Amino acid sequence: MAGTILVCYDVETASDNTLGFLDGAVPMHEEMDIPCTMSLTGETIEACTAACKAAGQHPLVCSAQHTYSHVLLKTVYMQPGDGKPCSHSADGSDTFLIEAGDLETIEQELSRTQQIFLDTFGHPCRGLTAPWGAYRGLMDRPDLLRILDKVGLKWVRSYARDHRDCQPTPFDVQAFFYADQGLPDLLEIPIQGYQDDFYWERFDDRAHGPDYTDYLSWAVEHVVANDLIWCLNSHDHGTPTAEAFENTKGVWLRDVLTKAKSAGVRFVTCEAFYREQLAARDG
Ligand SMILES: [Zn+2]
């Protein structure tokens, strides 16, 4: 009873940042012997095919999709209510709105990326990370869940925001099947805490200390003490080389993963977790 961490990355920039990120992150996971899940946009697979394919074939890496061009499934309206400029707002506004794609576009993006994934990796894609995430995930959107089911997706990471559409997502939000929405075999795997260091920078109240590693250390203790499931997330942002990865995200990732390992935390991929949840449910 020491908790479970699903280390997850959104690989979405279709640029040198993707290449540097994969060059840094994959060897780090190999060295630490910790599995991870990478959610790739179709555009990123097309732009960096060889690197994505090599990462996806690594035994410690589980691959999933992140739509074709990063279209939102649900509109996000961030309203932190603390009087400070909101994350992503170009004009210093204290709120930020970004609209979802229409249903037709969402279905096209998911289907197109399912095909790109199959052509690249030689097996169907079973998981999706919803760009930007949303409060309550897709609980209130059975129409979207039916589209996910139609294109063959089995699990989704979409509950990644709090009631203000900001972060952190509370740790009491844990994985669940969308049974009440009519999709009993479709699993939600929420992203608790912050989606990445830049969201912590804006939204954290520093109650756990001045650095992101302080927050992450608290999170590990909380997960261990309560035997929780935690999706720890990051992105291929600002990582044009493996060295850049090591000097930025690699610093806090190594720190939190080392602490979690020594605390006895279990690490699994999203696909392995999905199979466990299905087996547990069905006895
Ligand atoms: Zn993303």
Side-chain angles (χ1 to χ4, degrees):
M1 300 288 274
T4 300
I5 293 181
L6 287 71
V7 186
C8 297
Y9 302 113
D10 301 347
V11 184
E12 61 190 28
T13 61
S15 69
D16 284 352
N17 287 321
T18 300
L19 302 176
F21 174 82
L22 295 174
D23 274 354
V26 175
M28 180 190 77
H29 277 270
E30 205 163 51
E31 184 192 317
M32 302 186 87
D33 194 27
I34 291 175
C36 65
T37 301
M38 296 198 179
S39 299
L40 308 142
T41 60
E43 285 182 340
T44 301
I45 299 174
E46 286 181 344
C48 309
T49 309
C52 290
K53 194 172 175 178
Q57 285 172 339
H58 194 284
L60 287 172
V61 178
C62 161
S63 302
Q65 71 143 298
H66 196 36
T67 75
Y68 181 75
S69 72
H70 211 256
V71 66
L72 275 72
L73 274 62
K74 274 171 64 169
T75 292
V76 166
Y77 177 55
M78 285 194 261
Q79 192 178 31
D82 57 10
K84 292 190 283 183
C86 193
S87 187
H88 296 91
S89 68
D91 58 357
S93 163
D94 59 0
T95 58
F96 182 78
L97 176 80
I98 179 166
E99 285 191 46
D102 58 70
L103 289 178
E104 193 184 342
T105 302
I106 290 168
E107 181 167 346
Q108 280 171 358
E109 288 230 358
L110 294 177
S111 300
R112 183 176 182 184
T113 310
Q114 289 297 85
Q115 190 60 50
I116 293 167
F117 191 101
L118 181 63
D119 293 345
T120 307
F121 299 108
H123 61 88
C125 176
R126 291 164 57 88
L128 166 72
T129 297
W132 289 74
Y135 174 50
R136 302 177 83 211
L138 301 178
M139 281 179 182
D140 52 356
R141 294 300 302 273
D143 52 340
L144 289 170
L145 291 167
R146 286 191 289 271
I147 292 174
L148 268 55
D149 182 60
K150 186 176 165 188
V151 304
L153 293 161
K154 304 293 179 191
W155 49 267
V156 57
R157 300 167 65 235
S158 67
Y159 197 148
R161 291 180 179 270
D162 67 9
H163 64 285
R164 308 164 302 165
D165 250 354
C166 299
Q167 292 157 44
T169 304
F171 276 86
D172 59 7
V173 177
Q174 292 282 291
F176 58 88
F177 285 103
Y178 282 108
D180 290 347
Q181 289 76 13
L183 281 305
D185 294 337
L186 186 53
L187 184 72
E188 170 67 40
I189 307 176
I191 302 167
Q192 299 88 350
Y194 300 92
Q195 294 176 24
D196 210 329
D197 43 18
F198 54 91
Y199 274 117
W200 171 87
E201 189 69 42
R202 165 59 183 87
F203 289 123
D204 190 72
D205 61 6
R206 293 348 184 226
H208 304 292
D211 298 314
Y212 190 34
T213 50
D214 297 319
Y215 172 80
L216 294 170
S217 298
W218 166 81
V220 168
E221 287 170 23
H222 185 67
V223 165
V224 170
N226 298 284
D227 194 23
L228 299 174
I229 314 299
W230 177 23
C231 238
L232 169 64
N233 204 69
S234 191
H235 299 75
D236 63 336
H237 294 182
T239 53
T241 62
E243 191 185 9
F245 170 85
E246 284 295 340
N247 292 333
T248 57
K249 296 177 186 301
V251 175
W252 59 258
L253 278 164
R254 280 180 187 275
D255 186 81
V256 65
L257 295 178
T258 302
K259 282 172 183 159
K261 248 192 147 174
S262 55
V265 168
R266 189 177 72 103
F267 295 93
V268 290
T269 64
C270 289
E271 177 60 22
F273 181 69
Y274 174 74
R275 289 172 191 265
E276 281 178 14
Q277 293 288 299
L278 209 56
R281 184 198 67 184
D282 298 339

